[in-house]
Amino acid sequence: MSAVEARVEVLGVRHHGPGSARSVERALDELLPDVVVIEGPPELDTLVPLAADPDLVPPVAGLVYVVDEPRRAAFYPFASFSPEWVALRWALAHGVDVRFADLPATHSLAGAESDDAPRRPRERVDPLTALARAAGYDDPERWWEDAVEHRRTSSLTHFAQLREAMEGVRGTLEGDDDERREAFMRRVIRAEIRGGRERIAVVCGAYHAPVLDPASFPPASHDNALLSKLPKVKVAATWAPWSSERLSYASGYGAGVRSPGWYHHLFATPDDEVVPSWFVRVARTLRGENLDASTAAVVEATRLAGALAAVRGRPSAGLAELTDAARAVLTDGADQPLRLVDRTLVIGDELGRVPDSTPMVPLASDLAKQQKSLRLKASASSTVVQLDLRRESQLARSVLLHRLRVLDVPWGAQVEAGRTMGTFKEAWELEWTPELAVAVIEASLYGTTVRSAAESRIAEEARDAPDLGVLGRLIEECLLADLPDGLRAVVAALAERTARQHDTRALLETVEPLARTCRYGDVRGVDVADVTHVLQTVVVRASVGLGAACSTLDDDSAAAMRAAVEAAHRGIALFDHDDLRDPWTEALVAVGRDEAIHGTVAGRVNRLLLDGALLTHEEAASRLSRRLSPGTPAPAAAAWLDGFLAGEALLLIHGDDLLSIIDEWLAGATEEAFEDLLPLVRRTFSRYQPAERRLIGTHLRDLASGTRTRSSAAADSIDVERAAPAVAAVARLLGLEVAS
């Protein structure tokens, strides 16, 4: 059958346009085609039968990915109001064949260098903008709504008129992605004509419509030349849940809508009920947040929206009119309620659903089973889940979420668990995004179950770990994710690396994560004996090499060393064992006495010794005085002071002798030295809270005026008798005997 004998109707649509969807449905009822060709890569043909499954609930997306590199993928979203989805469901309901026509993903993904952004055609004039400007509109979205979305009647004639208008503005393209895509679309249409089809309906973006009419086809040789010698990769396709929010993103065929929730309402609601039912939904949303929204206000807003549409010359009230009416009547111009309406209604928080029969990688199937058994429902809206790790079911939830983090599938992000000092509480903020489907497919390269994949990933990272710090972090991840095999692999790598490690700073950076693992391992029932042995080895070796590692440091190296010492000190204090504390204390004492050590490290070590009662207040004041003496260069003195004063400001608030030494040092500095010191000292004191700085200033004023003496005077004024009840209460909390 020739192109003349076959009837080909090209239905140019706006992707995700509810007006286009209604128009397509009426046009298909009028044409009754024997095949429907839809814009989309032909790899989606294998997914067509699943579209009839009632458990496939839009929004969903056809996901096509490179088998050997799943990160290279493309989504082709469908909403209930998408013309392509309406055409697909119409064809399945009427027993009509469906074909997808676009440049195959096996070619388009072969040239994709990154999955961070969808592939887009080269820069060109937007035809909708040109048509809107010709019609006197400065907003193409508003023109499309008035000209297409709000039309109450549609026919094949309407699509022919739209195709003619688009032909006048689209111009010509040479050799870019659009031309190759259209060449493949024409190839599919030619194949259907040769197959004897009598009535062919082509549903595609309005931009492509003019070049898909057989009467305007170039020679087949022209299209074949465009499609020859294209790169190729092996791809696979599946359905993936999509979300209302993601419908606003450009993806697949490079189209998105800014108001998917509004478009769904426009598509699913009878024409005469669109405006009043919308305001009813707005009122319910506001009332759900304890905001006033009376029935009378809903009626008034409905009237105002109609009046605004009439004044603006629009065929019916659109989203702009509804928003303005809601702002004036229901929210009194407040921005917060409007943002709530925009987030929950205009955009929406719906997440699609795919049936169990959807082709999935084994890892995705295992994850779905665990989500179901643990009652962790995937949702597009952000939800915070509180977990009590003492309960088996909630511990299993925590383990799953930690394993997914190991696999770079960030479904949940850990947040503050509230006011609790226990280690058995966790809080997670869960939000499922469509991109996680690609992350799951990519993670499937490591294994067929979540556990096996996570353990394989941990083992691989342990083999490739560049330093001990990474291995320490991996041990923590194994603990939290309950990966005993992974833990053994990391501990073995850590023990082997530790034996050959001569970098003291690297050893120090490993202490804290190892100590946390040993300290909190019993909460999750994990055997950490091997980790404890490695921790003891690391602390001893780091303590022995601390003095040499802290000498001859420049400013940057000293700052890094100071951070490593602080981290190691926190870890040793957390896992308080004599085998760790004793060698570490000896090392700190030696570094604290050595005046050749860089100031920022020496100052911080002396402060740690003072806070741990390993250095007397008088000795600390003496060392501070020596380091701030006139013979010490000002920058070196400021660095020592910065390390010493880090932490709580109580040291200065209740230590007037230290404050006096610092005050005298600054007051006695030369003008040139003071200019160098000012930014350094200012940075040091800026870390304190405003109230703490005010107290320090008050003490300095009192010292200068002579109304305040040494801190010992304050100590002499302590009323021991009044303090006795508080001391007794603290003693009881600590389990100490209270003398009567």
Side-chain angles (χ1 to χ4, degrees):
M1 184 173 290
S2 68
V4 178
E5 296 170 330
R7 181 180 181 185
V8 179
E9 290 290 346
V10 183
L11 310 180
V13 300
R14 183 186 185 216
H15 299 298
H16 310 310
S20 293
R22 286 192 296 264
S23 300
V24 163
E25 188 170 21
R26 283 192 285 264
L28 293 175
D29 286 337
E30 181 179 344
L31 178 63
L32 294 176
D34 45 17
V35 65
V36 176
V37 178
I38 302 174
E39 179 184 343
E43 287 84 358
L44 299 181
D45 287 346
T46 59
L47 305 180
V48 168
L50 280 172
D53 193 316
D55 289 332
L56 186 69
V57 180
V60 292
L63 167 60
V64 187
Y65 60 93
V66 178
V67 173
D68 296 330
E69 193 179 348
R71 186 176 294 273
R72 293 161 62 188
F75 289 101
Y76 297 86
F78 298 89
S80 60
F81 51 82
S82 299
E84 298 87 352
W85 179 258
V86 169
L88 177 58
R89 294 300 294 263
W90 183 96
L92 292 171
H94 290 78
V96 174
D97 292 338
V98 176
R99 289 283 308 276
F100 280 93
D102 202 338
L103 185 67
T106 186
H107 300 310
S108 60
L109 291 178
E113 298 178 357
S114 171
D115 69 325
D116 295 336
R119 285 172 57 80
R120 302 297 302 272
R122 71 179 185 184
E123 199 71 26
R124 54 175 165 81
V125 176
D126 180 9
L128 293 184
T129 301
L131 287 174
R133 189 176 295 116
Y137 285 74
D138 57 359
D139 183 357
E141 294 279 344
R142 183 171 174 180
W143 171 82
W144 184 272
E145 284 195 10
D146 286 355
V148 180
E149 304 297 351
H150 291 297
R151 290 179 67 96
R152 298 303 182 229
T153 61
S154 179
S155 65
L156 296 174
T157 303
H158 164 65
F159 281 110
Q161 293 170 345
L162 182 61
R163 188 164 62 248
E164 182 180 351
M166 193 63 65
E167 185 176 10
V169 297
R170 67 167 263 144
T172 59
L173 297 172
E174 295 181 1
D176 69 351
D177 284 348
D178 274 325
E179 192 170 8
R180 283 189 289 271
R181 293 175 60 198
E182 291 164 351
F184 194 87
M185 294 179 192
R186 290 192 291 266
R187 175 182 285 185
V188 172
I189 296 172
R190 287 190 183 100
E192 293 301 321
I193 293 173
R194 288 196 304 270
R197 305 289 191 179
E198 296 181 0
R199 295 179 303 279
I200 302 173
V202 180
V203 180
C204 64
Y207 177 79
H208 305 293
V211 298
L212 299 185
D213 184 350
S216 64
F217 278 9
S221 58
H222 171 270
D223 291 344
N224 292 335
L226 285 174
L227 300 174
S228 64
K229 299 180 180 180
L230 293 178
K232 190 175 183 179
V233 291
K234 185 179 180 181
V235 299
T238 185
W239 287 112
W242 204 246
S243 67
S244 295
E245 182 182 8
R246 285 303 192 272
L247 285 171
S248 62
Y249 285 18
S251 58
Y253 33 65
V257 290
R258 294 184 301 202
S259 313
W262 160 248
Y263 274 10
H264 180 271
H265 177 80
L266 197 62
F267 178 72
T269 309
D271 293 343
D272 57 348
E273 298 178 12
V274 167
V275 175
S277 62
W278 177 261
F279 283 120
V280 168
R281 294 179 63 194
V282 171
R284 287 175 178 169
T285 300
L286 296 177
R287 291 168 186 167
E289 297 295 323
N290 297 321
L291 298 172
D292 184 38
S294 66
T295 303
V298 170
V299 174
E300 180 62 26
T302 303
R303 291 173 177 169
L304 178 57
L308 287 173
V311 170
R312 295 171 179 175
R314 304 198 66 182
S316 61
L319 182 59
E321 286 70 38
L322 270 61
T323 301
D324 290 343
R327 177 184 287 108
V329 179
L330 289 169
T331 67
D332 294 327
D335 289 336
Q336 185 175 356
L338 285 175
R339 285 195 294 268
L340 172 67
V341 170
D342 184 73
R343 184 177 67 253
T344 59
L345 296 183
V346 177
I347 295 176
D349 55 4
E350 295 171 346
L351 181 69
R353 190 174 70 246
V354 299
D356 295 337
S357 56
T358 302
M360 295 182 183
V361 293
L363 178 64
S365 300
D366 181 61
L367 174 58
K369 290 177 184 177
Q370 292 194 51
Q371 287 174 323
K372 186 174 182 180
S373 64
L374 296 176
R375 297 181 180 179
L376 277 175
K377 184 180 179 181
S379 172
S381 57
S382 178
T383 347
V384 175
V385 177
Q386 298 279 348
L387 301 179
D388 185 344
L389 304 184
R390 296 169 296 184
R391 300 174 59 181
E392 185 176 350
S393 61
Q394 299 199 25
L395 176 60
R397 290 182 175 186
S398 171
V399 166
L400 174 62
L401 293 170
H402 280 292
R403 286 175 177 174
L404 291 176
R405 288 179 64 176
V406 168
L407 293 171
D408 285 337
V409 183
W411 177 23
Q414 213 166 345
V415 295
E416 290 293 331
R419 299 181 61 183
T420 175
M421 298 298 290
T423 59
F424 51 83
K425 291 284 188 182
E426 279 186 358
W428 291 81
E429 184 177 7
L430 304 181
E431 183 178 5
W432 187 270
T433 60
E435 289 79 6
L436 294 180
V438 176
V440 171
I441 294 171
E442 186 176 10
S444 68
L445 299 176
Y446 291 98
T448 57
T449 65
V450 176
R451 174 172 176 167
S452 65
E455 288 184 327
S456 298
R457 177 70 182 272
I458 286 287
E460 179 185 278
E461 290 191 13
R463 288 193 302 270
D464 301 335
D467 53 51
L468 294 180
V470 173
L471 290 172
R473 174 183 59 79
L474 292 178
I475 282 184
E476 278 194 285
E477 292 181 359
C478 290
L479 168 70
L480 298 172
D482 189 17
L483 302 172
D485 291 344
L487 182 61
R488 282 189 285 272
V490 179
V491 169
L494 184 61
E496 188 268 334
R497 295 279 189 91
T498 301
R500 297 185 289 106
Q501 181 59 256
H502 301 291
D503 186 350
T504 300
R505 196 178 86 194
L507 293 170
L508 292 172
E509 291 171 346
T510 314
V511 171
E512 188 176 21
L514 291 178
R516 279 199 298 263
T517 302
C518 296
R519 175 66 178 84
Y520 299 130
D522 57 345
V523 177
R524 295 174 176 267
V526 178
D527 183 8
V528 293
D530 292 341
V531 181
T532 303
H533 177 71
V534 173
L535 174 61
Q536 291 173 345
T537 303
V538 168
V539 171
V540 170
R541 294 196 61 202
S543 300
V544 170
L546 184 62
C550 291
S551 60
T552 64
L553 296 175
D554 59 21
D555 291 343
D556 293 338
S557 300
M561 179 59 72
R562 169 180 161 178
V565 169
E566 290 174 335
H569 191 76
R570 288 193 301 267
I572 293 170
L574 181 66
F575 192 61
D576 192 15
H577 280 211
D578 293 342
D579 293 343
L580 306 181
R581 186 177 56 252
D582 292 346
W584 178 247
T585 299
E586 292 179 9
L588 289 183
V589 170
V591 170
R593 286 197 302 259
D594 190 347
E595 297 192 1
I597 300 294
H598 192 285
T600 188
V601 176
R604 190 70 188 119
V605 167
N606 277 282
R607 176 61 183 272
L608 295 176
L609 293 172
L610 178 62
D611 291 345
L614 300 171
L615 183 68
T616 65
H617 192 89
E618 291 73 16
E619 179 61 24
S622 174
R623 292 183 182 182
L624 174 65
S625 179
R626 288 199 303 272
R627 295 306 291 256
L628 300 187
S629 63
T632 305
W640 199 96
L641 183 66
D642 181 70
F644 187 72
L645 295 184
E648 298 291 336
L650 296 176
L651 185 67
L652 294 182
I653 294 174
H654 299 292
D656 291 344
D657 49 352
L658 299 177
L659 190 60
S660 297
I661 294 172
I662 298 171
D663 183 44
E664 292 170 3
W665 170 63
L666 283 174
T670 64
E671 182 177 352
E672 182 179 353
F674 185 79
E675 291 179 355
D676 295 334
L677 286 173
L678 183 59
L680 302 175
V681 176
R682 185 173 185 176
R683 180 188 63 187
T684 299
F685 282 88
S686 67
R687 300 191 185 105
Y688 296 149
Q689 296 297 320
E692 294 174 329
R693 294 200 294 269
R694 281 196 298 272
L695 280 174
I696 293 173
T698 301
H699 291 347
L700 284 172
R701 183 190 60 196
D702 294 344
L703 288 172
S705 62
T707 59
R708 184 177 177 90
T709 58
R710 296 291 182 182
S711 57
S712 57
D716 294 339
S717 64
I718 294 176
D719 191 332
V720 178
E721 195 173 319
R722 291 181 61 190
V727 172
V730 172
R732 283 194 297 272
L733 290 173
L734 296 175
L736 304 175
E737 293 185 7
V738 181
S740 57

